[in-house]
Each structure stands twice: as C-alpha cells, then as structure tokens.
Amino acid sequence: MEVIIRPGAGDAGNLAARLMGRSLRDKPQIVFGLATGRTMARVYAILVEMHKTGGLDFSLASTFNLDEYVGLPPEDAQSYRHYMDAHLFGQVNIDLRNTCLPDGMAVDLNAECERYERLMADRGGIDFQLLGIGRSGHIGFNEPLSAMFSRTRVKALTPETVEQNAVQFGSRERVPRHAITMGVGTILDAKRCVLLATGLEKADIVAKAVEGPITSMVSASALQMHRRCTVIVDQDAASRLEHQEYYRWIFQNEPEWEPYR
Ligand code: GLP
C-alpha cells in the first residue's frame, strides 16, 4: 500500500481521475470498478472534462460498480445506477451495455449476486478499482466483520451508514436497509486499487485503515494486503496519520509519481 497526500480535496480527486485517465489510455478495453458517494462526484466531473476537452475515449471500456441498494429501481434518483448515469455514463462515450451494476430489484437476490460475479470473471476481472471509504470503514458496503474472502452478496447497512447516507435521502427512514455489494475478496481480486478519501470526517477511519491492524472490523484495512493499492487523501483526511512525512517523501521521490507532482 502507498499513501499519497495532496493539499486539498480538489487535488486529491484530480490525481485519482488522472490515474484513471492514464490507465484508460494505456488499455482502451479496461475494466473499471467504480464507486459512488460525494467524494467520487469530483473524480467523475474531471473524467467528463477529460473526455470533452482532451478526447478521453471510453468507447471500449467496461465498468462494474461496487454496490447498489436493494429495492431501488434504476430510475430512483437515489439509486447508484441513477448516480452513475448522471455523473459519468450519460456524459461520456461509454457503451451503456458495458456499464454493469448489481440489480437491486432482482427477485432472486442471491442469484443476482452470483450472476454479477460471473459477469466480472467473464470480462477478465477488474483492472482498476476506484474506492471510497465510509465512516464505518466500509469499502463498497462491506460493513464491519465482513469476511476478508467475501464475494458479492446482500449486506445489511449499519445504523452509522444509514445515518451517513440519510443526507442524500432526506431522512433516515428513506434509506434502504440492504444493499448488494462486491465482497472484500472480490475487491482484493482487482489488479489495482485506488482509495480516495477527503475531509476531516474521514481522518479517523483513514488512520485505522492505513496504520491500524488488519481487521474485519475495518474492511478497508484489508487493502493493506493488496499488491497494488494507492490511498489518496487530502490534508484533512490525512491529519490523523502518524507517518505523514514518510508518505510525502514517497510522493516526492518515487519515479512513478513524477508526472503527477
Ligand atoms: C457509500 C458507498 C461507498 C462510499 C461511501 C462514502 O456508503 N457505498 O462506496 O465509499 O458511501 O461516501 P462519501 O464519498 O459520500 O463519503
């Protein structure tokens, strides 16, 4: 794992978008794993900009989202399908048939989870997985105690997550209690992982995930085991990390980061 600290949330989002843009240019048939949430809106806005002004071409790319609420149809403004269409898919030249999310309306949810795993495998797996982090330490909707080897399945949301996501729904009562999510094991299978976290409200959980012990109580800590995981944080989200100086040194000295400095 490596940690990159950027001064502001805009710089952090910009770096994540540039890494995605570079990966897409290197491999036009790339398979992206995508995340939703407020943090990612910034990344998608920059990718849209890169498409519109820089010709970034999504025509051969495929995407798999991490998760979707159970019981929300795609046209519901709070569904993740709706979010993705609005923030990215509707604004770039991606083939919508290559954009995949779990179907939270499926009659047989377990069969849907298995179908989603098969579909990812058929496309050769995820090349680049973009991740956010919830205050409970979740990646996707892998709430505390999610098994490190878990695969796509239905999870109940924690009260903390319901609270955190209530802002978008207008009230706690409207937040669905379940979601289909890729498992921690599914995420760890991605060839590259990039976790983006910004803001003071993420500082505690980022410190636990990055510098704390690997524990299923903090699903994001499993990323410490991944072969190629980059955690991008702004100064606020980095503020509880003990080894900030070391992480800054890496960014200044690792040749890989030279084009982004
Ligand atoms: C939701 C999503 C996560 C996301 C998290 C953080 O719970 N399932 O994938 O990382 O929100 O969202 P935000 O960026 O809004 O803090």
Side-chain angles (χ1 to χ4, degrees):
M1 175 182 273
E2 59 191 341
V3 180
I4 302 296
I5 305 174
R6 304 308 293 132
D11 310 296
N14 189 37
L15 178 57
R18 286 178 67 195
L19 290 178
M20 292 177 78
R22 161 74 71 89
S23 301
L24 176 56
R25 286 197 167 99
D26 287 350
K27 184 178 181 185
Q29 294 93 337
I30 196 166
V31 180
F32 279 124
L34 298 178
T36 52
R38 284 153 288 189
T39 315
M40 298 309 151
R42 206 171 277 124
V43 177
Y44 298 140
I46 297 165
L47 285 173
V48 167
E49 190 60 29
M50 287 163 81
H51 166 68
K52 290 191 171 148
T53 62
L56 190 63
D57 181 11
F58 287 82
S59 61
L60 300 175
S62 303
T63 65
F64 286 89
N65 266 77
L66 283 165
D67 44 15
E68 177 62 283
Y69 289 112
V70 168
L72 294 192
E75 54 280 4
D76 189 299
Q78 298 309 327
S79 75
Y80 286 165
R81 163 56 78 178
H82 191 276
Y83 173 106
M84 291 309 304
D85 286 347
H87 287 89
L88 185 66
F89 302 154
Q91 301 197 60
V92 296
N93 65 334
I94 198 161
D95 183 339
L96 284 180
R97 289 168 303 184
N98 292 334
T99 65
C100 312
L101 282 91
D103 178 4
M105 296 296 284
V107 180
D108 184 340
L109 292 170
N110 291 333
E112 170 60 10
C113 295
E114 281 170 27
R115 183 194 70 87
Y116 202 60
E117 284 279 341
R118 269 199 311 274
L119 205 56
M120 276 183 269
D122 288 349
R123 298 273 171 122
I126 308 280
D127 293 303
F128 186 121
Q129 177 67 58
L130 179 66
L131 296 160
I133 186 169
R135 283 197 304 245
S136 66
H138 69 212
I139 42 177
F141 271 128
N142 290 287
E143 299 288 30
L145 287 182
S146 289
M148 299 275 176
F149 295 126
S150 51
R151 311 301 304 184
T152 303
R153 68 219 183 290
V154 176
K155 284 293 286 180
L157 310 190
T158 61
E160 190 182 11
T161 298
V162 169
E163 193 65 49
Q164 189 187 323
N165 292 354
V167 190
Q168 288 100 312
F169 284 84
S171 77
R172 285 184 104 258
E173 289 61 43
R174 293 212 194 113
V175 183
R177 295 302 189 254
H178 298 96
I180 294 180
T181 179
M182 284 186 199
V184 179
T186 318
I187 293 167
L188 291 178
D189 280 351
K191 295 179 190 82
R192 177 167 201 189
C193 287
V194 171
L195 185 145
L196 174 66
T198 58
L200 273 180
E201 59 165 29
K202 299 287 171 71
D204 275 329
I205 198 64
V206 164
K208 283 187 185 143
V210 171
E211 294 179 336
I214 297 174
T215 164
S216 55
M217 284 306 291
V218 180
S219 293
S221 69
L223 294 167
Q224 294 177 31
M225 295 187 290
H226 193 274
R227 263 167 298 166
R228 197 163 176 228
C229 176
T230 306
V231 173
I232 304 174
V233 282
D234 66 353
Q235 185 48 54
D236 283 346
S239 58
R240 303 298 284 266
L241 290 167
E242 239 180 77
H243 300 283
Q244 293 178 45
E245 286 321 307
Y246 168 56
Y247 308 140
R248 288 207 174 82
W249 192 92
I250 292 285
F251 186 66
Q252 288 311 326
N253 292 285
E254 259 317 331
E256 183 194 346
W257 297 109
E258 211 211 309
Y260 304 99
R261 290 200 281 268

